[in-house]
Amino acid sequence: MPNPHGILVDLLDRLVIIRAQTYGPTEIIQVEDEESLAYLGKIGQKISLRHAVQLLFPTSVVAKINGQDNICKEVFSGH
């Protein structure tokens, strides 16, 4: 049986595919306060800016599930 996408099946099982999209001012402005922005900046410095920016979409989904309109530090840190 051929490997899907040309990748070994055991490796493919361990991959997580995340759809990335461009974030505009509307999504970025939804970060609630300076503390949240500072925390996002620390993530960007520690890991990468790209990773920090890609966190905006999933954290906005979690915020909406929790009944919040804006992203706050607690959503980023999982508390």
Side-chain angles (χ1 to χ4, degrees), residues 1-4 6-16:
M1 178 170 78
N3 295 328
I7 300 173
L8 297 172
V9 175
D10 59 338
L11 177 61
L12 186 61
D13 288 342
R14 290 173 177 79
L15 294 176
V16 176

Side-chain angles (χ1 to χ4, degrees), residues 21-31 56-57 60 71:
Q21 59 188 17
T22 306
Y23 300 98
T26 305
E27 291 84 9
I28 295 170
I29 291 171
Q30 289 179 345
V31 176
L56 290 174
F57 180 72
S60 70
I71 298 169

Side-chain angles (χ1 to χ4, degrees), residues 1-78:
M1 178 170 78
N3 295 328
H5 309 289
I7 300 173
L8 297 172
V9 175
D10 59 338
L11 177 61
L12 186 61
D13 288 342
R14 290 173 177 79
L15 294 176
V16 176
I17 300 171
I18 300 172
R19 191 182 98 191
Q21 59 188 17
T22 306
Y23 300 98
T26 305
E27 291 84 9
I28 295 170
I29 291 171
Q30 289 179 345
V31 176
E32 189 170 279
D33 56 21
E34 291 297 321
E35 181 183 16
S36 301
L37 285 172
Y39 190 72
L40 183 61
K42 286 180 185 179
I43 293 171
Q45 184 179 22
K46 184 177 179 182
I47 300 171
S48 75
L49 180 59
R50 180 180 179 187
H51 176 74
V53 170
Q54 288 179 341
L55 286 175
L56 290 174
F57 180 72
T59 53
S60 70
V61 171
V62 171
K64 287 178 184 170
I65 289 171
N66 292 332
Q68 300 170 325
D69 292 328
N70 297 323
I71 298 169
C72 59
K73 181 181 176 186
E74 289 75 25
V75 175
F76 280 113
S77 60

